[in-house]
């Protein structure tokens, strides 16, 4: 449809114009990656919230509310918000210990003076950026291709080019500025969809009627169905989400950008602002369940409900919201990968950082176009990657003494054992394997790191 192409064009024009008019083209690698390290807390909060909004926040929240009711939305929404709040003391700590830092991998290298530790963190952070970029391109291009008739692979290239066009101008400043614009729009649009969705969908009574999901069985966290949802979805999702910011360079990068004494405020407000979007989308799912709507495809139930409950023109702001949510994460990934080049090249240049951006997009496009690959597959893969470094990172920031060999062995063990178990459980839909895989990934990295470190310490002692 022509209006979809117009939405993409309008989005590109707004973001490029805002970047060119409101930021300066950066010539320094450090400023390209972390700005002046004095970004205000509110614009940082908007950027943090927008960066944390990606495909599941926009689609899965509505799907869970519709299919799993209150229990499903609760176990998606609450860990998503709490993980950003839980991250605050660690963001403050890394900024205090390494005030001129840029990356998590750089911090770990400084702490352990080990190339192996730095390299395994570079692998984890880089692979996460690639898979995350792939999932945004896959999710966005799927729906945009369906609406426009443009071939899927061409749409992945279009989305990639739009994100690169403004990100390469001023780096992190462009990302934070455009994130803020995107987040304001997403907040307004999602709240309006929730409010008018309730009104057009039969009123508040219909929303409450849908709190149990379309089956009506999922209104309680502690019922048999609620416990089943917790074990099969809530527990593994919580483990993966709590690990989220810790294994994502996007958030460490912002910890180095915001004013030093405003880190806590930026992440706390960012968490609250983020939560408003999936909550609003979840309310739409309750409305759909309460009015007895039968979904054609639960994966895009929010799109179906907006088409059902609103005038045809309402699809335009919805699409703009979707594009904003997906591309805000892609441009943050571009800035994250550019910052990682500071740990790769001894003589780094802006040219190398921008080549890294292009390389990330090429890999993301290739990943998104792998036949048969789904958003769920990619989500599971990089959720496990994030969890693999959680405990070694926390231990290090809390002052626990580890050996470089322990850190590397712990993370490698978690990836080799935890990743296959977790992936198998999700592909087969087996709750026991999903839960075991998520817990193994987190616990093995920390446990093995401690055991190997103590053994090496005893040998050296």
């Amino acid at each position: 449809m022509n209006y979809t192409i117009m939405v993409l064009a309008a989005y590109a024009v707004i973001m490029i114009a805002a970047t060119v008019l409101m930021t300066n083209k950066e010539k320094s690698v450090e400023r390209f990656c972390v700005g002046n390290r004095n970004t205000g807390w509110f614009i940082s909060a908007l950027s943090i919230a927008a960066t944390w909004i990606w495909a599941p926040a926009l689609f899965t929240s509505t799907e869970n509310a519709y299919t799993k009711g209150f229990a499903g939305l609760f176990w998606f929404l609450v860990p998503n918000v709490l993980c950003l709040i839980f991250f605050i003391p660690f963001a403050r700590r890394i900024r205090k210990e390494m005030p001129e830092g840029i990356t998590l991998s750089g911090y770990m290298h400084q702490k352990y003076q080990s190339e192996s530790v730095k390299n395994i963190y570079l692998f984890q952070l880089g692979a996460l950026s690639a898979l995350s970029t792939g999932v945004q391109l896959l999710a966005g291009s799927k729906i945009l291709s369906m609406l426009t008739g443009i071939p899927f692979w061409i749409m992945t290239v279009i989305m990639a080019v739009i994100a690169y066009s403004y990100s390469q101008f001023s780096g992190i400043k462009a990302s934070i500025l455009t994130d803020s614009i995107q987040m304001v729009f997403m907040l307004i649009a999602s709240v309006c969809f929730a409010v008018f969705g309730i009104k057009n969908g039969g009123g508040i009574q219909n929303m409450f009627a849908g709190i149990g999901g379309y089956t009506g069985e999922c209104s309680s966290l502690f019922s048999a169905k609620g416990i089943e949802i917790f074990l099969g979805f809530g527990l593994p999702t919580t483990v993966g989400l709590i690990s989220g910011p810790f294994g994502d360079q996007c958030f460490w990068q912002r910890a180095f950008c915001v004013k030093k004494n405003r880190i806590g405020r930026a992440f706390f407000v960012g968490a609250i602002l983020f939560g408003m979007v999936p909550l609003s989308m979840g309310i739409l799912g309750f409305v759909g369940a309460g009015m007895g709507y039968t979904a054609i495809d639960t994966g895009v139930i929010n799109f179906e409900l907006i088409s059902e409950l609103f005038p045809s023109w309402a699809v335009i702001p919805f699409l703009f919201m979707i594009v904003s949510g997906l591309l805000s994460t892609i441009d943050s990934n571009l800035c994250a990968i550019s910052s990682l080049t500071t740990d790769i090249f001894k003589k780094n240049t802006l040219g190398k950082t921008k080549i890294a951006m292009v390389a990330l997009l090429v890999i993301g496009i290739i990943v998104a176009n792998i036949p048969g690959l789904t958003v769920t597959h990619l989500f599971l893969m990089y959720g496990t990657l994030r969890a693999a470094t959680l405990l070694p990172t926390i231990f290090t920031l809390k002052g626990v003494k580890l050996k470089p060999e322990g850190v590397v062995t712990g993370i490698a063990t978690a990836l080799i054992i935890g990743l296959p178990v977790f992936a198998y459980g999700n592909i087969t839909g087996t709750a026991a394997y999903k839960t075991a895989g998520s817990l193994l990934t987190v616990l093995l990295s920390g446990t093995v790191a401690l055991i190997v470190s103590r053994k090496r310490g005893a040998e050296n002692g």
Side-chain angles (χ1 to χ4, degrees):
M1 295 183 185
N2 291 333
Y3 62 74
T4 307
I5 297 173
M6 291 173 59
V7 167
L8 278 173
Y11 175 92
V13 169
I14 291 170
M15 298 309 156
I16 293 171
T19 301
V20 172
L21 294 174
M22 301 177 70
T23 68
N24 296 318
K25 192 174 182 65
E26 290 296 348
K27 298 179 181 179
S28 156
V29 171
E30 182 176 359
R31 289 179 69 87
F32 189 85
C33 295
V34 290
N36 58 8
R37 301 181 187 274
N38 202 35
T39 307
W41 68 267
F42 188 66
I43 192 172
S44 295
L46 288 168
S47 177
I48 289 163
T51 299
W52 197 227
I53 289 178
W54 51 289
L58 297 168
F59 292 99
T60 307
S61 51
T62 315
E63 179 185 5
N64 272 4
Y66 177 79
T67 60
K68 300 185 181 76
F70 173 75
L73 182 61
F74 178 92
W75 288 118
F76 178 79
L77 176 62
V78 174
N80 254 309
V81 172
L82 290 182
C83 69
L84 293 174
I85 297 173
F86 180 60
F87 184 70
I88 291 172
F90 300 96
R92 286 172 171 163
R93 184 64 178 255
I94 200 171
R95 184 69 177 273
K96 180 179 179 181
E97 291 191 16
M98 196 179 180
E100 301 303 313
I102 295 175
T103 65
L104 174 62
S105 48
Y107 169 79
M108 297 300 287
H109 184 220
Q110 176 181 285
K111 294 294 288 187
Y112 293 102
Q113 296 298 304
S114 166
E115 289 294 317
S116 296
V117 170
K118 182 184 78 172
N119 289 337
I120 200 165
Y121 267 83
L122 280 173
F123 168 77
Q124 183 267 308
L125 296 169
L128 178 79
S129 295
L131 293 174
S132 175
T133 300
V135 80
Q136 312 312 317
L137 293 175
L138 174 60
S141 299
K142 182 180 178 181
I143 190 169
L144 293 174
S145 175
M146 177 181 70
L147 291 172
T148 61
I150 296 174
F152 173 82
W153 74 269
I154 293 179
M155 190 56 71
T156 61
V157 174
I158 292 172
M159 289 185 67
V161 169
I162 292 173
Y164 180 78
S165 64
Y166 57 86
S167 300
Q168 59 82 34
F169 184 78
S170 53
I172 192 65
K173 287 184 178 179
S175 179
I176 290 175
L177 172 65
T178 54
D179 284 351
S180 302
I181 296 170
Q182 293 156 355
M183 190 61 203
V184 169
F185 181 84
M186 285 188 283
L187 283 169
I188 294 172
S190 60
V191 170
C192 286
F193 282 133
V195 171
F196 289 101
I198 292 172
K199 180 181 178 182
N200 298 343
I204 197 77
Q205 65 271 20
N206 260 7
M207 186 200 75
F208 282 116
I211 284 181
Y214 75 92
T215 65
E217 301 175 337
C218 310
S219 59
S220 171
L221 297 178
F222 306 105
S223 64
K225 192 66 177 178
I227 298 297
E228 178 186 326
I229 291 170
F230 168 70
L231 294 175
F233 173 77
L235 181 57
T237 298
T238 298
V239 171
L241 288 172
I242 292 297
S243 307
F246 289 87
D248 193 335
Q249 171 58 17
C250 294
F251 297 97
W252 296 109
Q253 191 172 14
R254 278 154 181 74
F256 287 119
C257 290
V258 69
K259 288 181 180 179
K260 190 174 182 179
N261 61 346
R262 291 292 183 266
I263 291 174
R265 185 177 298 181
F267 276 92
F268 182 82
V269 174
I272 302 304
L273 292 175
F274 161 83
M276 292 175 66
V277 174
L279 176 61
S280 298
M281 290 290 96
I283 287 173
L284 203 58
F286 291 150
V287 170
M291 62 187 281
Y293 178 81
T294 301
I296 299 170
D297 180 355
T298 56
V300 289
I301 179 69
N302 49 8
F303 178 72
E304 291 184 22
L305 288 170
I306 286 169
S307 301
E308 176 77 13
L309 297 174
F310 291 84
S312 58
W313 59 261
V315 173
I316 295 176
F318 175 74
L319 287 176
F320 199 95
M321 183 176 74
I322 296 299
V323 171
S324 294
L326 299 177
L327 286 180
S328 66
T329 302
I330 294 177
D331 67 52
S332 294
N333 287 336
L334 291 176
C335 290
I337 204 71
S338 70
S339 69
L340 293 179
T341 62
T342 61
D343 295 327
I344 297 172
F345 303 109
K346 289 184 179 179
K347 292 184 178 180
N348 198 18
T349 64
L350 274 177
K352 291 175 181 176
T353 65
K354 292 180 182 181
I355 289 173
M357 287 179 159
V358 174
L360 178 71
L361 290 173
V362 170
I363 295 171
I365 290 169
I366 292 171
V367 169
N369 282 277
I370 294 175
L373 202 62
T374 66
V375 170
T376 301
H377 291 148
L378 289 172
F379 171 59
L380 304 176
M381 287 286 289
Y382 76 72
T384 307
L385 277 172
R386 294 187 303 200
T389 55
L390 175 64
L391 289 182
T393 302
I394 288 177
F395 287 160
T396 303
L397 284 163
K398 296 297 288 184
V400 177
K401 294 182 179 180
L402 300 174
K403 297 290 183 182
E405 301 89 342
V407 174
V408 173
T409 306
I411 294 172
T413 303
L415 290 174
I416 292 168
I417 297 176
L419 177 58
V421 174
F422 188 59
Y424 176 79
N426 278 278
I427 291 170
T428 61
T430 309
Y433 281 102
K434 285 194 287 186
T435 302
S438 61
L439 292 175
L440 276 172
T441 304
V442 171
L443 297 177
L444 277 175
S445 63
T447 303
V448 172
L450 287 171
I451 292 171
V452 172
S453 295
R454 289 185 180 182
K455 183 178 179 181
R456 294 290 294 178
E459 290 173 355
N460 294 336

